[in-house]
Amino acid sequence: MGRAAYRDVVAGGRRAVEAAWTYPEPNRRYAEPAGWLAFYPGRADGCTLDGEGVRAQPGRYYGGWVTDDVVGPFKGEPGTGGW
């Protein structure tokens, strides 16, 4: 996609360091999300999707949002490092 840039998120007087990322200059093939932000749910006090509290995808690197409708296994869980 290109080189990611990480952003701090400030809300309610609190700062979550590098809790969001963006691709300011993505490769042409992935131009559509240029400037959008994606958030690590595990770096926030809470995130919801359609009213359901989400769980962070396992592993410190991944930013996936896990809900009851999402079925694993998930990369980042023990034993999934070779994916």
Side-chain angles (χ1 to χ4, degrees):
M1 288 213 33
R3 180 177 219 126
Y6 297 88
R7 303 285 187 249
D8 293 355
V9 176
V10 178
R14 296 177 59 189
R15 177 181 301 272
V17 176
E18 295 187 349
W21 75 96
T22 184
Y23 290 97
E25 297 179 26
N27 299 331
R28 278 185 298 166
R29 184 173 176 192
Y30 301 101
E32 186 176 344
W36 293 3
L37 290 173
F39 296 87
Y40 288 104
R43 297 183 187 178
D45 291 338
C47 296
T48 61
L49 179 64
D50 291 334
E52 179 183 351
V54 302
R55 300 172 300 281
Q57 179 178 352
R60 292 180 30 188
Y61 176 77
Y62 303 104
W65 292 43
V66 179
T67 67
D68 291 339
D69 291 331
V70 180
V71 178
F74 302 103
K75 190 170 185 177
E77 291 180 335
T80 65
W83 286 15

